[in-house]
Amino acid sequence: MNKKIALITGITGQDGAYLSQLLLEKNYTVYGLLPRRSTSEVNLNRLEWLGVDDKVHLIDGDLTDLSSLIRIMQKVQPDEVYNLGAQSFVKTSWDQPLLTGQVTGIGAVNVLEAIRLIKPDARYYQASTSEMYGLIQEPMQSEQTPFYPRSPYAAAKLYAHWMTVNYRESFDMFACSGILFNHESPLRGLEFVTRKVTDGVARIKLGMETELRLGNIDAKRDWGHARDYVKAMWLMLQQDTPDDFVIATGLTTTVRDMCKIAFDVVGLNMDDHLVIDPQFFRPAEVEILLGNPAKAKEVLGWEAETSLESMITEMVEVDLQRLTRG
Ligand code: NDP
Ligand code: GDP
């Protein structure tokens, strides 16, 4: 049997790295879209960390450039396309709302168009987000819960989400949206709160810093591990019919309690080091997210495997090692 071919946008990001590893284990040929940056030494740290940087094929292109996507689609002829590329940081989206709209919103439609024109039988995965629930309309959010986006990022993602549904219904494309709740790992960007905390706690433990400055620590998130969540992406594209799925743990925790777990890992008292800093508050907040993964369990047979405690412990330990090695 021929090897399946996958194309991943956002391959250099957290999920792109874990998904590449998963698909390579499943004997896929993996291509990744590589946007132009100011140096040819592209940021392959995450792929390197998982030992897959020399096993994936990278092709220059950008989500905002439809012609590059068409060219890549012609060259790669993918069986599956995973659209993970985005301006993905909520806080930045208030400062760069148009860029966020172009990359995170229109970018997804560019990928859908390239598929429709060149490889309409390719299966498409859209990286939708729990941020679309924003000001939550139900205590536990499922595929039926109405959306109420609370940031330019969430609004851009909601556009991409509905376009995915529309391409499925209008053009009979195999297009799925995974509504993923927050997922983290040692490969998470340092600007996101879990990694900021685990890196900060490791620095304090090593005597490199004395304090950790955070914003709204009462916010609650349903945090899972990226390694578990990329399995759900793949499973969605292996079904007989395309559909949308909430991917979550079904548990929610405050930033404060998540932070305490990290300080406990290194035996330090959180209250001696944590400082609340208004600069990290947002113009509008998503106070609480809690996902209902029942459909994913029933249809995909998917369940989160990693607890928040073990994930934060892993992240702190990896950050300690990184900082110790310099
Ligand atoms: P990251 O921020 O780690 O990765 C984003 C990726 O998008 C990077 O590879 C980045 O490349 C790439 N990218 C940015 N701009 C462009 C562009 N113009 N053209 C092509 N690629 C571009 O995100 P994650 O891996 O954490 O998340 C993957 C996807 O899932 C994202 O779409 C995110 O919004 C979504 N999501 C994530 C959740 C999470 O908790 N992690 C929750 C729900 C949804 P470069 O590094 O070169 O900038
Ligand atoms: P998000 O859910 O995609 O916005 O993921 P983040 O990890 O960026 O933020 C999760 C929650 O942590 C949000 O409610 C933030 O307001 C809150 N938070 C509190 N302090 C901080 C901080 O210093 N940095 C970040 N990124 N988030 C913080």
Side-chain angles (χ1 to χ4, degrees):
M1 207 179 99
N2 285 342
K3 283 174 90 166
K4 273 195 186 175
I5 299 170
L7 172 65
I8 303 175
T9 76
I11 194 165
T12 56
Q14 169 188 259
D15 292 7
Y18 280 108
L19 182 64
S20 295
Q21 185 185 48
L22 179 78
L23 295 178
L24 288 165
E25 281 165 13
K26 294 186 182 298
N27 204 29
Y28 279 62
T29 302
V30 177
Y31 287 87
L33 177 78
L34 197 63
R36 161 83 186 142
R37 296 293 183 250
S38 66
T39 163
S40 56
E41 292 159 36
V42 289
N43 180 8
L44 299 182
N45 294 351
R46 292 173 168 126
L47 294 161
E48 280 168 13
W49 201 76
L50 295 177
V52 297
D53 53 308
D54 55 353
K55 300 186 180 68
V56 298
H57 308 276
L58 302 172
I59 310 186
D60 291 343
D62 197 290
L63 282 170
T64 59
D65 182 37
L66 176 60
S67 64
S68 71
L69 297 171
I70 289 175
R71 182 175 48 76
I72 291 166
M73 225 52 87
Q74 281 166 338
K75 180 177 158 69
V76 171
Q77 295 288 321
D79 299 297
E80 297 172 9
V81 179
Y82 296 87
N83 183 37
L84 311 183
Q87 190 303 96
S88 68
F89 188 40
V90 171
K91 190 153 191 292
T92 293
S93 76
W94 278 284
D95 298 327
Q96 299 180 25
L98 300 176
L99 175 108
T100 303
Q102 290 291 343
V103 177
T104 307
I106 303 275
V109 186
N110 283 336
V111 179
L112 285 162
E113 269 300 282
I115 294 173
R116 183 162 78 104
L117 291 167
I118 307 298
K119 190 74 170 60
D121 63 338
R123 296 185 168 204
Y124 176 81
Y125 172 84
Q126 171 59 24
S128 286
T129 168
S130 54
E131 291 291 320
M132 300 187 309
Y133 296 118
L135 188 62
I136 56 165
Q137 304 293 298
E138 286 180 330
M140 203 172 194
Q141 299 90 53
S142 74
E143 295 79 4
Q144 272 72 50
T145 305
F147 299 115
Y148 194 133
R150 290 267 281 173
S151 63
Y153 167 77
K157 280 285 186 186
L158 190 55
Y159 170 64
H161 176 78
W162 278 119
M163 289 301 272
T164 303
V165 174
N166 272 270
Y167 271 60
R168 179 168 75 219
E169 294 177 356
S170 309
F171 305 127
D172 205 23
M173 279 172 50
F174 196 108
C176 304
S177 262
I179 307 173
L180 271 54
F181 283 61
N182 296 51
H183 47 281
E184 322 291 315
S185 74
L187 302 185
R188 186 64 144 148
L190 276 167
E191 64 275 36
F192 294 92
V193 74
T194 52
R195 183 74 202 295
K196 181 176 171 182
V197 164
T198 62
D199 176 75
V201 164
R203 283 173 190 274
I204 294 169
K205 180 67 182 174
L206 295 173
M208 300 162 77
E209 302 278 354
T210 53
E211 58 183 31
L212 173 64
R213 305 182 84 86
L214 296 178
N216 176 17
I217 59 171
D218 294 322
K220 296 175 105 176
R221 288 292 181 277
D222 180 330
W223 278 296
H225 199 303
R227 196 177 40 225
D228 296 346
Y229 284 38
V230 297
K231 292 180 191 163
M233 298 176 186
W234 176 77
L235 281 168
M236 281 178 222
L237 297 200
Q238 312 314 309
Q239 304 305 303
D240 292 336
T241 47
D243 205 349
D244 306 323
F245 294 90
V246 162
I247 301 298
T249 68
L251 298 170
T252 192
T253 309
T254 59
V255 171
R256 179 190 286 103
D257 289 347
M258 177 274 293
C259 195
K260 182 161 186 323
I261 295 171
F263 276 102
D264 286 350
V265 171
V266 296
L268 290 174
N269 181 7
M270 178 174 81
D271 297 332
D272 295 339
H273 304 281
L274 183 58
V275 177
I276 302 304
D277 186 337
Q279 72 164 300
F280 298 113
F281 284 81
R282 297 169 176 194
E285 180 60 287
V286 173
E287 293 292 348
I288 175 168
L289 291 171
L290 171 60
N292 179 352
K295 180 177 168 186
K297 184 174 181 190
E298 190 191 322
V299 179
L300 305 177
W302 180 90
E303 268 185 291
E305 292 164 43
T306 313
S307 70
L308 180 61
E309 287 73 14
S310 68
M311 180 177 75
I312 294 295
T313 303
E314 177 193 355
M315 290 171 69
V316 172
E317 285 170 354
V318 171
D319 278 323
L320 280 169
Q321 285 166 20
R322 282 182 180 135
L323 292 165
T324 309
R325 286 194 205 126

